[in-house]
Amino acid sequence: MTDRSPNGATVWARHSRLRVVPPVQPRKLAKVPFVELADGRLQGVVSSGSDIGRVYVSSIAAGTHDYNCSTNNNRPCGGLYGSPCKHLRALVAEAVVQYGADRVSRYLRVEVPEGADLADCLGGVHEPAPAAVVFSRFLRHLAYLEVPDTTLPIPELHWFPATGTVG
């Protein structure tokens, strides 16, 4: 039994109700384990550079480019001194790897001149934003990575209708 259809699409992608967009390039997950374009923001979880047990929830709002970076307990990042910290720069860099520079710049509604770094073109200010929702999604994402492969319904995902048999 194969997990690919005759046209090369994976079975789960063929049966998905949502369009699955593969990453533009493979990503290393150690520094930025979670990145998403959601809720009108580029947001994600970034590992601390100094403490292995600490992560930061970083976000940049589309349009205004206002930014926030704090621990999952809403303690502000010490690197926010009137400009984006290293966690926000890492988030932007990984988003470009995951989604591509064009898609990220369109989502954030920012003009990026040829050869310029997308992070340098953002002009927002620090605006506190709640970290709990993003961190919760990250934890949910981790939990789904541990679910074994199956063709049986997963009770937690019961709202997705069955679309046929796999195999």
Side-chain angles (χ1 to χ4, degrees):
M1 186 164 111
T2 180
D3 66 344
R4 293 203 174 265
S5 66
N7 69 359
T10 58
V11 172
W12 62 265
R14 195 179 49 188
H15 289 286
S16 177
R17 293 279 186 210
L18 298 173
R19 193 175 107 186
V20 178
V21 179
V24 173
Q25 299 174 33
R27 250 180 14 92
K28 294 182 181 173
L29 302 176
K31 183 64 180 165
V32 183
F34 182 69
V35 61
E36 66 179 354
L37 300 170
D39 302 330
R41 293 189 302 262
L42 164 59
Q43 56 194 17
V45 173
V46 181
S47 299
S48 169
S50 58
D51 182 351
I52 195 166
R54 181 178 296 147
V55 294
Y56 288 86
V57 176
S58 303
S59 64
I60 300 170
T64 65
H65 310 143
D66 291 345
Y67 52 85
N68 187 54
C69 185
S70 63
T71 66
N72 58 307
N73 295 325
N74 285 325
R75 293 196 178 114
C77 172
L80 290 175
Y81 296 111
S83 64
C85 63
K86 65 181 181 178
H87 307 112
L88 287 159
R89 290 188 159 281
L91 178 70
V92 170
E94 286 301 310
V96 167
V97 171
Q98 176 77 29
Y99 300 108
D102 289 341
R103 184 169 179 202
V104 175
S105 62
R106 274 194 320 270
Y107 187 85
L108 292 175
R109 297 190 301 272
V110 61
E111 291 292 325
V112 182
E114 185 78 27
D117 183 4
L118 194 151
D120 292 335
C121 299
L122 301 171
V125 298
H126 178 246
E127 180 67 36
V133 172
V134 178
F135 193 70
S136 176
R137 278 156 98 156
F138 167 61
L139 293 177
R140 177 67 49 102
H141 176 75
L142 288 179
Y144 285 133
L145 292 177
E146 296 177 358
V147 173
D149 290 342
T150 182
T151 57
L152 299 173
I154 299 172
E156 193 167 309
L157 301 176
H158 73 280
W159 61 87
F160 291 114
T163 58
T165 60
V166 177

